[in-house]
Amino acid sequence: MKPKLTLIGAGPGDPELITLKAVKALQKADVVLYDALANSVLLEYCSPHCEIIYVGKRGHTRSISQDSINFLIVEKAYEKGHVVRLKGGDPFIFGRGNEEINFARERGIETAFVPGISSIQALGAADIPLTSRGFSDGFWVITGHKADGSLSKDLELAAQSTATVIILMGMSRLPRIAELFAKAGRGSTPAAIVQNASTVHQKVGKGLAKNLPQIAQSNNLSNPALIVIGDVVNALRSDKFTQLKSAEIYS
Ligand code: SAH
């Protein structure tokens, strides 16, 4: 038996937005460790002998620490063989996937990586393209939640550019983000908050960057949600046409 770790992306939430390669990894897993943002419906691909371990947050309890997850991966790989780590979106986009891979490699475990569709790509399912000729030459993807509690300096730089700005893990920082854009003279830039992008529970609120807290409040939006600031928010016409949620397309 050879210990092995495969880190796979679960996609943004709609269980059909996972890759074939990730499904095959789940089918071959001896152990799966998954967290809150990965849709648990995906665990149905696991074989009956597979051990399934939840390592995310439950209710208001703290999630299990990154150190404990790293140790668990190694322990299970030596005990049972093929460990699959299932993470929401893409594991290398704010997923700490690199930490898990390095920890396993340092302990002699072979690793593989299967990219996932990130929640940022699911913004299209909310009618928001990330780039648009004439509107936005590119996009920044920034965390709203640094380990020390401060706002990233990159957010200040991003606020000065005309590119699309996408903020993950930023829902508890809405007033500060709104203020930062207002200070940069970009308070009137279109903005949106998208909760549960790609799923049947998707909710969207739109307005202006300076009003981000009000957008969340009036549309009752909470985590998991993405904040998008940029003209792309209004790039698609919505007068006569309705955007189907991706989870509804084939159902
Ligand atoms: N690796 C993930 C991101 C993990 S960080 C990815 O590639 O998508 C966690 C943050 O991702 C959440 O706080 C939220 O901002 C965002 N997120 C993840 N799934 C989401 C979804 N379905 N809808 C909106 N935001 C989501």
Side-chain angles (χ1 to χ4, degrees):
M1 186 197 68
K2 207 170 180 191
K4 182 176 160 185
L5 165 66
T6 307
L7 183 58
I8 67 175
D14 174 351
E16 293 187 349
L17 292 179
I18 186 169
T19 64
L20 266 179
K21 219 178 186 60
V23 168
K24 286 181 182 169
L26 285 173
Q27 288 166 339
K28 288 186 189 146
D30 297 309
V31 183
V32 171
L33 276 77
Y34 75 105
D35 46 29
L37 282 174
N39 193 326
S40 55
V41 169
L42 297 171
L43 300 169
E44 286 169 18
Y45 291 114
C46 299
S47 76
H49 84 269
C50 179
E51 180 182 355
I52 293 168
I53 306 172
Y54 178 77
V55 292
K57 270 184 208 166
R58 249 191 233 292
H60 293 289
T61 60
R62 275 175 66 84
S63 49
I64 104 168
S65 73
Q66 187 62 50
D67 279 350
S68 315
I69 295 172
N70 295 347
F71 278 112
L72 197 57
I73 289 171
V74 170
E75 190 186 299
K76 288 294 174 186
Y78 279 105
E79 182 191 328
K80 297 201 163 171
H82 188 192
V83 173
V84 168
R85 179 70 170 107
L86 176 69
K87 306 200 78 150
D90 182 280
F92 281 166
I93 299 180
F94 301 120
R96 304 184 74 168
N98 53 323
E99 296 172 37
E100 296 179 10
I101 295 263
N102 275 340
F103 193 88
R105 283 185 181 169
E106 282 159 14
R107 283 151 189 87
I109 294 171
E110 201 171 74
T111 65
F113 179 76
V114 181
I117 296 178
S118 173
S119 59
I120 67 166
Q121 291 162 282
L123 284 169
D127 251 2
I128 303 172
L130 300 188
T131 65
S132 171
R133 211 148 51 114
F135 283 125
S136 159
D137 297 342
F139 53 89
W140 299 67
V141 181
I142 303 178
T143 177
H145 197 111
K146 291 231 305 178
D148 64 2
S150 66
L151 270 191
S152 167
K153 285 264 174 272
D154 286 343
L155 204 51
E156 273 170 48
L157 294 174
Q160 291 163 37
S161 87
T162 54
T164 307
V165 181
I166 302 149
I167 303 162
L168 287 85
M169 298 175 280
M171 287 303 278
S172 59
R173 306 281 153 83
L174 292 173
R176 286 175 65 193
I177 296 167
E179 197 183 281
L180 190 144
F181 275 79
K183 269 196 189 144
R186 294 196 63 220
S188 298
T189 311
I193 299 175
V194 183
Q195 182 180 344
N196 289 316
S198 84
T199 75
V200 280
H201 306 295
Q202 176 177 294
K203 286 205 287 186
V204 185
K206 288 185 179 180
L208 301 177
K210 62 183 173 196
N211 299 328
L212 277 169
Q214 293 87 321
I215 298 174
Q217 208 170 29
S218 55
N219 296 282
N220 205 8
L221 297 164
S222 60
N223 273 318
L226 296 162
I227 301 155
V228 194
I229 300 161
D231 290 326
V232 290
V233 163
N234 296 325
L236 287 171
R237 50 187 301 174
S238 56
D239 43 0
K240 287 189 206 128
F241 305 96
T242 323
Q243 162 85 45
L244 288 172
K245 288 175 185 161
S246 79
E248 293 168 348
I249 293 175
Y250 295 111
S251 55

